[in-house]
Amino acid sequence: MEEIGQTEFICPSDTFLGIIKGKCKTTLIVLIKKGRNRYGEMCRTLPTISPRMISKQLDELERDGIIERHSFAELPPRVEYTLSDYGETLYPIIREIRKWGYMHQARTK
Amino acid sequence: MEEIGQTEFICPSDTFLGIIKGKCKTTLIVLIKKGRNRYGEMCRTLPTISPRMISKQLDELERDGIIERHSFAELPPRVEYTLSDYGETLYPIIREIRKWGYMHQARTK
DNA sequence: CAGCATCCACTCCGATACTG
DNA sequence: CAGTATCGGAGTGGATGCTG
């Protein structure tokens, strides 16, 4: 049997969950991955999430190195987000999570 | 490109994340899966998590149908938890999450 | 042993209003 | 267009004490 200790148990899960927990981070990652990567666009796609929250979640994802922010000095201003190489590594897992969700969402409620 | 709508984006992720978010649910699931499935045992394995929290998380996992609670009317009382068939379906994903965590935990701080 | 009840601090998140 | 500031309610989680 594998070694069982507190550190081994908690840390690995929290590395991932600490990054993608939060109101709508997986959703934002998927949107960006699909090219729907501008702030206003995301707000319109997710009308039930407040712009403040979308902004905050994008900030945190950028801080964690998952996404990159590209700001264009135009009028009107434009900002696009892209997945970083690091962010790409967790995308397959998000797909798995979403696939599981599709299969089992009937069960929850 | 896939259809993009709010429902398709948010629901599937939340089905999974809604279940495993919370202080230490993935950890508890792994402990149970490995046979370290008694309440006191878990508390001792996770000394930094309060017993109240472990109890609460186990309750929620049971309520969501992920784990089953088996109570033995002995003295001293004994309670064991096992993964349900439903719970087994999300175990592979938890393994992926943990594997990702092992590989990338150096990066996060 | 395996827990629940209570109290409290902290964090999350929405609503609203404002800015470069 | 792409945000930021502030307020306040709801939820999360620890500490402590008690129970069958």
Side-chain angles (χ1 to χ4, degrees):
Chain A
M1 201 210 282
E2 279 180 36
E3 178 61 20
I4 296 188
Q6 155 130 323
T7 305
E8 296 88 285
F9 267 94
I10 293 194
C11 291
S13 305
D14 280 358
T15 302
F16 180 88
L17 294 176
I19 287 172
I20 55 89
K21 87 169 178 313
K23 187 68 179 184
C24 53
K25 285 185 182 166
T26 56
T27 305
L28 292 175
I29 289 169
V30 174
L31 280 176
I32 290 169
K33 179 75 175 179
K34 289 202 185 301
R36 197 162 282 205
N37 59 348
R38 294 184 55 181
Y39 177 73
E41 210 170 17
M42 299 186 204
C43 290
R44 264 175 279 118
T45 306
L46 309 173
T48 63
I49 314 281
S50 63
R52 172 196 177 283
M53 191 45 50
I54 291 177
S55 171
K56 198 161 160 292
Q57 305 290 297
L58 288 171
D59 276 357
E60 291 181 15
L61 286 172
E62 190 196 0
R63 188 204 57 201
D64 288 339
I66 305 301
I67 64 177
E68 284 156 9
R69 186 176 182 277
H70 309 278
S71 175
F72 301 86
E74 306 170 347
L75 274 180
R78 181 162 58 99
V79 176
E80 293 183 3
Y81 294 91
T82 54
L83 265 187
S84 68
D85 291 344
Y86 183 44
E88 289 285 351
T89 68
L90 83 180
Y91 189 69
I93 298 181
I94 291 176
R95 284 206 62 84
E96 286 301 308
I97 288 173
R98 288 167 54 78
K99 199 189 306 173
W100 190 93
Y102 275 122
M103 291 173 56
H104 299 279
Q105 58 193 345
R107 155 97 71 149
T108 18
K109 179 167 34 71
Chain B
M1 202 208 283
E2 277 180 39
E3 178 61 22
I4 296 188
Q6 155 129 324
T7 306
E8 296 89 285
F9 268 91
I10 294 193
C11 291
S13 306
D14 281 359
T15 303
F16 180 88
L17 294 175
I19 286 172
I20 55 88
K21 85 168 181 314
K23 188 68 180 183
C24 54
K25 284 184 183 167
T26 54
T27 305
L28 291 174
I29 289 169
V30 174
L31 280 177
I32 290 168
K33 179 74 177 180
K34 290 203 184 299
R36 195 162 286 204
N37 60 346
R38 294 183 57 180
Y39 177 73
E41 208 169 19
M42 299 186 204
C43 290
R44 263 175 279 118
T45 306
L46 309 173
T48 63
I49 315 282
S50 63
R52 173 198 177 281
M53 191 45 48
I54 291 177
S55 172
K56 197 161 160 290
Q57 305 288 298
L58 288 171
D59 275 358
E60 291 180 16
L61 286 171
E62 190 195 1
R63 187 203 58 201
D64 288 337
I66 306 301
I67 64 176
E68 284 156 7
R69 185 174 183 279
H70 310 278
S71 175
F72 301 87
E74 309 171 346
L75 273 181
R78 180 162 59 100
V79 176
E80 293 184 1
Y81 294 92
T82 55
L83 263 188
S84 69
D85 290 345
Y86 183 45
E88 290 284 351
T89 68
L90 84 180
Y91 189 69
I93 298 182
I94 291 175
R95 283 205 63 83
E96 287 301 308
I97 288 175
R98 289 168 52 79
K99 200 190 303 174
W100 190 94
Y102 275 122
M103 290 172 56
H104 298 278
Q105 58 192 348
R107 156 97 69 150
T108 21
K109 187 165 29 3

